[in-house]
Amino acid sequence: MENTATSANIYPIRLVEHKVKDITFKDKEHEKFYQMYLPKCKVQDVYHRALIYCLGISADTRNNVGQIYNFETDSVNPDCLYEGWITSGSAKVVRLALNLYCNRAISVFHYDKAKEQLDEYKHYTVEDLFCCSYAPYFWEAVRIRYPEYCN
């Protein structure tokens, strides 16, 4: 799958330095995941920071990070949304992570029929994503991805 993050306008890290102490984490496992996996990214820009932050929110996504993101090729796999381990909550985490990383609802392209594509788009609405217990951490992911607007 293509990576739009490398071709997009990248904000320099010096613009906003995200120290771990400035980020709100769901729990210690989330923070440890972020500290462990962010350095594995080839680039540590706002796209990758938001991606890794998001994927660390849920235990399901932490445990299956290799099925979601390929660190070697720097690419995401939207087909992971159709794996057996996906729950409604982990699907929200993945969809937000993919959206912040790729700037689009990339899993929509999994479908050929317009009705199926529209049904998938509905899962990317603010209401569908943020109406859950992960909402405070989703806001934090948006802040990480868009520091120039949130700080």
Side-chain angles (χ1 to χ4, degrees), residues 102-121:
C102 298
N103 290 322
R104 65 183 118 185
I106 197 164
S107 62
V108 168
F109 302 109
H110 179 81
Y111 300 99
D112 295 325
K113 296 180 181 174
K115 176 162 179 8
E116 293 171 334
Q117 289 177 340
L118 288 173
D119 288 343
E120 179 64 12
Y121 264 123

Side-chain angles (χ1 to χ4, degrees), residues 70-137:
N70 185 320
F71 289 88
E72 293 298 315
T73 62
D74 193 30
S75 60
V76 292
N77 174 23
D79 292 339
C80 71
L81 286 165
Y82 312 102
E83 297 291 331
W85 57 267
I86 284 284
T87 63
S88 61
S90 60
K92 290 174 187 279
V93 171
V94 170
R95 284 188 176 102
L96 182 64
L98 296 179
N99 196 338
L100 292 174
Y101 184 72
C102 298
N103 290 322
R104 65 183 118 185
I106 197 164
S107 62
V108 168
F109 302 109
H110 179 81
Y111 300 99
D112 295 325
K113 296 180 181 174
K115 176 162 179 8
E116 293 171 334
Q117 289 177 340
L118 288 173
D119 288 343
E120 179 64 12
Y121 264 123
K122 291 176 186 176
H123 294 297
Y124 284 87
T125 64
V126 173
E127 180 180 24
D128 194 76
L129 287 175
F130 282 80
C131 290
C132 69
S133 63
Y134 295 144
Y137 312 105

Side-chain angles (χ1 to χ4, degrees), residues 25-60:
F25 292 94
K26 182 175 178 278
D27 50 32
K28 284 291 184 191
E29 289 79 17
H30 184 198
E31 183 175 2
K32 285 177 14 184
F33 178 88
Y34 185 82
Q35 291 175 332
M36 180 186 306
Y37 283 94
L38 185 60
K40 294 181 181 192
C41 295
K42 293 180 180 180
V43 180
Q44 295 183 12
D45 57 14
V46 293
Y47 297 88
H48 290 83
R49 289 171 187 234
L51 174 74
I52 297 303
Y53 178 87
C54 272
L55 297 181
I57 293 171
S58 160
D60 290 330

